[in-house]
Amino acid sequence: MRNRSKACPAPAFPKRKALSAAIITMMATTAIAEEQSENLDTLRVLGQAEEGYNVALTDDMIEARQASDLEDLLRYDPSITVGGGAPVAQKIYVRGLEDTLLNVTIDGATQAGYLYHHQGRIQVEPELIKDVVIKPGAGNAADGAGALGGAIHFNLKDAEDMLREGETTGAFIKSTVSSNNEGWKNHASVYGMLTDDIGLLASFTHNESHDDYEDGNGDKVDETEQQQKDVRLKLSGDINEDHYFSISYNKFEDEGFRYARPNMGALFHPTYLNIPVDQETGRESWVAKHTFNPSNELINLTTTIYHNDNDIIKRGDQWLSAFVPPDNFIYGDVYNGEWHGGGVESLGLDIRNISTVGNHSFEYGFEYRDDEAYLINSLQPFSKEETEVRALFLQANLELTNKVRLSTGLRYDDYDYTDNYGVNISDDHISPNATFTVDVTDSLELSAGYAQAFKGVSSPEVFFLESGVFGAGNTLSSYTGPDATINDVDQSALKAEESENYELGFKFEQSNFAASGEVFRQTIENAQTIDSRMWHRASYQDDVKVKGYALRMAYFWDDLTLNAGVSHSKPKLGDTYLHSSDMGLGAAYGRTWTLGLEYDVNSDVLLGWDARHVETLNDVPEGQDNKDGYTIHDVYAKWNPNDDLTVGLAINNVFDKFYYDQGTFYTNQPRTPDPVGLPEPGRDFKLYASYKF
């Protein structure tokens, strides 16, 4: 068996019995503990991304709460919201910024591009997630290209993660039934060691609902049935004492008969009916990794090569053909019922090394990615759009004294983009960062940091590349002229996006109590937009600005863990708060409070309760209604009658609250009720049983 601490340089996670809830995302920290007997002896809380994680979620937490989609995964952190209602429409917002402004990876493969502004771009099956790491705010030079608002990393399991101590082969089966949408989720994995050091994992998950889900009022939310399939293969292990490798394949599919804009319900839109159509989205990935870690503190070299393809297709679509008078719309399917859509295909390389010199460490490396945006069944010829990204980075963690530390780095990014008309735009930039940390006392730590991040001009969302055929008769082109008028505002030509982040933080830990918090201010210049009337792109003249704070605490008392947190972010475009209709940028949501308890009744039984309260949001654009507040309660229980069998129950939205997540498409539209987005599911009982062979 390989030595994980040697092969994988990432920070270690605690045993669940020690502090599973301490790492819970409502803490927005990583808590790492060592347990001796039944007592908590040491506790370390990592607050800033430069020193560890801001948010971490482990597989034990996912299992206990029976997370089945992104919202279930991330609802426990107050600085994150997931809007959309239906899983296919869910978008992640971190500090009010949409995940399009973050670097997102799944098992090392960057999820580049943006498929459809009415649909989420991140689809991942929770069953085989090892952990999720979220780093809000521009920060570390090693976080990856385009990390304007931070980074999200989904790490998946391998055979050794599934095997228990002393085992060489095994299998795992699990079934979950959900009451709200009459859903069934079935999972099967087989795994084993092919040699003493090399293992193979093969898994299949099928998640299907037999009905639309019901909201808190007991009403069906139409066209929200889902069918998802996930296939995963992973070969991994030690070649010898110094070399570790893994090769993985993953195919994720989601299909259903849904509204053409799945984050909205049925409505009369001024230009476009939201008529249900067959839809399919998918991701296919190949990822190969190699780690060389000899007995040399200067060498811990990891190389990752990946191929990733995300796509979306729809069968037909209803578009406005003409209208006279305005209330008499005439619609037609310009695709004649044929499948159409597009995707983004990426080929990437990441080479990084960690060198340790005394009490200092240095992480440095090179990244390359080639993205191709393509169309399927376009109504006219289309040349693929190509974006090439090259980057060099260095991040140093320096111990200046026994009480003062400095994390600092530089990142150089070079973007080369060619649109479907052959227009070429090249950008490059050097982004610095620095964070000072001071141990004021043995219990209190203060930090102050500044960071820049950069993203050059690249392909817009695939949907808009296709949609140009309905405007000027062309596919979408880049705009490189001296000015453009969008919403009566003169815009400059396309520019690279640049981000600045200022942050002050603290951490306090003493005995069985821990607390941490930060205040932050972030600015993103030249965020990109598309004018659907003129069918070209431009950079926003106004900056996207976010300021806010987060505070969390944890208390550990024998077998009981208490977590609490609060966060408030204020994202704006110029002087106007971001709204969920600012798709691709972000959305403002009210001050959010989280509270949770977890109790180990004994070694076999675990009980837990989580609550999330979101205050009413009054900071909305002119002409829009306030976003109503809400309080949601979830409970869960897990029982291990023996080492092989696990039985559990999770109840989401215990009190059957009717509400709209404030990150969903929550906006007024002419001729429609308000809002037009999808309400969240009402009470949902999830009963599951799993067995390990």
Side-chain angles (χ1 to χ4, degrees):
M1 295 291 193
R2 62 186 169 95
N3 183 334
R4 289 187 176 277
S5 63
K6 179 179 180 180
C8 299
F13 282 91
K15 300 176 183 177
R16 185 207 59 77
K17 178 86 172 163
L19 285 180
S20 66
I23 338 174
I24 196 166
T25 51
M26 72 170 64
M27 282 274 300
T29 62
T30 299
I32 299 179
E34 297 175 0
E35 183 185 25
Q36 298 179 2
S37 302
E38 295 296 321
N39 297 318
L40 179 70
D41 293 331
T42 61
L43 173 66
R44 186 161 62 97
V45 179
L46 304 179
Q48 282 65 48
E50 289 77 10
E51 297 186 21
Y53 316 130
N54 271 24
V55 180
L57 180 69
T58 67
D59 57 346
D60 290 308
M61 297 162 60
I62 295 170
E63 179 189 37
R65 292 160 179 81
Q66 276 308 285
S68 59
D69 55 36
L70 290 173
E71 185 171 26
D72 289 345
L73 277 172
L74 303 173
R75 71 171 66 191
Y76 309 104
D77 180 76
S79 63
I80 301 171
T81 194
V82 178
V88 72
Q90 291 175 350
K91 298 182 179 185
I92 305 173
Y93 298 93
V94 180
R95 293 181 176 176
L97 297 178
E98 193 173 330
D99 56 66
T100 50
L101 299 175
L102 285 73
N103 178 281
V104 181
T105 64
I106 298 178
D107 219 23
T110 297
Q111 306 302 298
Y114 190 19
L115 296 181
Y116 187 30
H117 61 292
H118 286 292
Q119 193 161 316
R121 75 184 188 106
I122 307 300
Q123 297 286 329
V124 60
E125 167 53 47
E127 201 61 54
L128 282 178
I129 290 178
K130 181 179 180 180
D131 57 65
V132 184
V133 176
I134 302 179
K135 299 181 178 182
N140 198 308
D143 280 345
L148 299 170
I152 304 177
H153 303 304
F154 296 90
N155 301 309
L156 306 183
K157 297 178 182 178
D158 60 17
E160 193 174 348
D161 294 315
M162 301 294 289
L163 288 168
R164 291 175 290 197
E165 187 175 354
E167 290 183 336
T168 58
T169 60
F172 174 75
I173 58 172
K174 180 178 179 180
S175 286
T176 305
V177 59
S178 300
S179 66
N180 188 293
N181 60 358
E182 298 182 14
W184 278 93
K185 181 177 180 179
N186 296 302
H187 171 87
S189 290
V190 292
Y191 39 87
M193 304 303 295
L194 304 180
T195 69
D196 289 342
D197 299 306
I198 297 176
L200 176 66
L201 166 69
S203 71
F204 175 74
T205 305
H206 183 213
N207 187 9
E208 181 177 10
S209 63
H210 299 281
D211 201 354
D212 299 321
Y213 72 75
E214 295 182 357
D215 61 28
N217 290 332
D219 297 324
K220 297 285 187 183
V221 180
D222 294 335
E223 316 304 348
T224 57
E225 292 183 23
Q226 65 175 353
Q227 180 168 246
Q228 297 176 337
K229 297 177 182 178
D230 186 271
V231 176
R232 180 161 183 79
L233 299 170
K234 192 169 188 178
L235 180 70
S236 60
D238 290 326
I239 301 173
N240 56 40
E241 184 178 352
D242 298 333
H243 294 269
Y244 165 80
F245 83 99
S246 68
I247 300 174
S248 62
Y249 170 77
N250 181 225
K251 185 174 180 63
F252 181 92
E253 294 180 344
D254 179 285
E255 60 183 43
F257 186 72
R258 304 189 177 98
Y259 292 116
R261 289 168 289 176
N263 66 333
M264 302 165 65
L267 65 137
F268 278 100
H269 188 273
T271 59
Y272 178 24
L273 276 175
N274 201 23
I275 295 177
V277 296
D278 288 318
Q279 297 186 40
E280 295 182 6
T281 60
R283 182 188 67 253
E284 189 170 21
S285 294
W286 289 92
V287 183
K289 294 183 180 181
H290 172 260
T291 299
F292 176 49
N293 187 10
S295 299
N296 186 330
E297 291 189 342
L298 297 179
I299 302 175
N300 190 343
L301 179 66
T302 300
T303 302
T304 304
I305 301 174
Y306 61 88
H307 175 268
N308 195 71
D309 193 352
N310 283 298
D311 63 24
I312 176 174
I313 55 176
K314 298 192 289 184
R315 188 192 296 275
D317 223 332
Q318 300 289 328
W319 283 83
L320 174 64
S321 299
F323 57 91
V324 178
D327 290 330
N328 184 17
F329 296 121
I330 301 173
Y331 293 88
D333 180 1
V334 298
Y335 294 99
N336 296 318
E338 297 293 327
W339 288 101
H340 67 101
V344 178
E345 186 176 10
S346 300
L347 180 65
L349 170 67
D350 184 295
I351 303 173
R352 59 184 63 208
N353 186 56
I354 299 176
S355 297
T356 302
V357 181
N359 293 327
H360 314 303
S361 67
F362 303 86
E363 183 174 8
Y364 48 93
F366 168 76
E367 294 178 49
Y368 172 80
R369 195 179 77 238
D370 181 273
D371 301 330
E372 287 192 349
Y374 59 88
L375 294 185
I376 299 171
N377 191 33
S378 175
L379 296 184
Q380 64 184 57
F382 177 83
S383 298
K384 291 182 179 179
E385 299 209 340
E386 184 174 14
T387 305
E388 286 189 284
V389 185
R390 298 172 181 84
L392 295 169
F393 61 88
L394 167 66
Q395 188 72 30
N397 295 295
L398 309 175
E399 188 169 324
L400 304 182
T401 72
N402 61 351
K403 291 184 177 294
V404 180
R405 295 177 297 281
L406 170 64
S407 177
T408 184
L410 287 174
R411 180 180 179 88
Y412 171 74
D413 290 280
D414 179 42
Y415 280 72
D416 187 82
Y417 165 63
T418 302
D419 79 354
N420 65 95
Y421 286 92
V423 174
N424 180 263
I425 304 174
S426 297
D427 302 290
D428 65 302
H429 188 72
I430 295 177
S431 305
N433 73 78
T435 296
F436 279 96
T437 303
V438 179
D439 294 330
V440 180
T441 68
D442 291 340
S443 300
L444 178 62
E445 174 185 295
L446 301 179
S447 62
Y450 169 80
Q452 291 183 10
F454 174 83
K455 182 179 181 182
V457 178
S458 54
S459 291
E461 65 173 274
V462 172
F463 175 84
F464 273 118
L465 288 174
E466 181 184 59
S467 299
V469 298
F470 307 108
N474 301 306
T475 52
L476 180 69
S477 65
S478 300
Y479 180 72
T480 56
D483 57 36
T485 301
I486 295 180
N487 297 329
D488 300 322
V489 177
D490 287 337
Q491 305 290 309
S492 59
L494 281 171
K495 297 179 181 179
E497 297 167 278
E498 299 181 21
S499 174
E500 284 188 315
N501 188 58
Y502 298 86
E503 195 152 330
L504 298 174
F506 83 94
K507 292 185 296 183
F508 179 84
E509 48 193 89
Q510 191 173 64
S511 184
N512 290 356
F513 176 79
S516 66
E518 64 272 345
V519 294
F520 52 86
R521 187 181 70 185
Q522 184 167 1
T523 301
I524 299 177
E525 298 179 352
N526 308 319
Q528 294 181 28
T529 184
I530 297 173
D531 186 344
S532 59
R533 299 169 298 173
M534 302 176 67
W535 300 111
H536 66 236
R537 305 161 59 195
S539 299
Y540 277 109
Q541 194 173 55
D542 287 329
D543 297 336
V544 174
K545 297 180 180 180
V546 187
K547 63 180 180 180
Y549 63 87
L551 178 66
R552 77 287 302 184
M553 57 78 67
Y555 186 79
F556 313 96
W557 183 32
D558 294 332
D559 294 315
L560 180 67
T561 302
L562 167 69
N563 290 282
V566 59
S567 178
H568 195 196
S569 301
K570 297 182 177 182
K572 293 182 177 182
L573 177 60
D575 295 325
T576 303
Y577 282 90
L578 287 181
H579 200 261
S580 46
S581 57
D582 294 314
M583 290 174 279
L585 293 181
Y589 40 90
R591 182 184 290 108
T592 302
W593 304 77
T594 56
L595 182 65
L597 289 171
E598 186 168 279
Y599 178 54
D600 283 305
V601 178
N602 53 47
S603 60
D604 300 325
V605 178
L606 173 72
L607 301 177
W609 163 72
D610 294 308
R612 182 181 180 96
H613 172 69
V614 181
E615 297 181 10
T616 298
L617 181 71
N618 300 312
D619 300 320
V620 296
E622 185 178 353
Q624 298 293 326
D625 291 340
N626 295 337
K627 294 183 179 182
D628 293 335
Y630 48 86
T631 303
I632 304 302
H633 299 266
D634 303 327
V635 297
Y636 56 91
K638 187 171 74 169
W639 175 44
N640 296 102
N642 55 54
D643 291 340
D644 301 319
L645 178 64
T646 300
V647 179
L649 173 67
I651 308 175
N652 292 342
N653 196 354
V654 172
F655 298 108
D656 212 14
K657 175 71 174 180
F658 177 88
Y659 71 105
Y660 292 87
D661 189 286
Q662 292 187 7
T664 197
F665 193 79
Y666 201 116
T667 185
N668 303 353
Q669 290 284 352
R671 306 178 181 87
T672 66
D674 170 52
V676 296
L678 302 182
E680 296 298 314
R683 184 187 299 115
D684 188 15
F685 292 85
K686 295 182 179 181
L687 178 65
Y688 70 95
S690 64
Y691 194 84
K692 275 196 171 185
F693 296 89

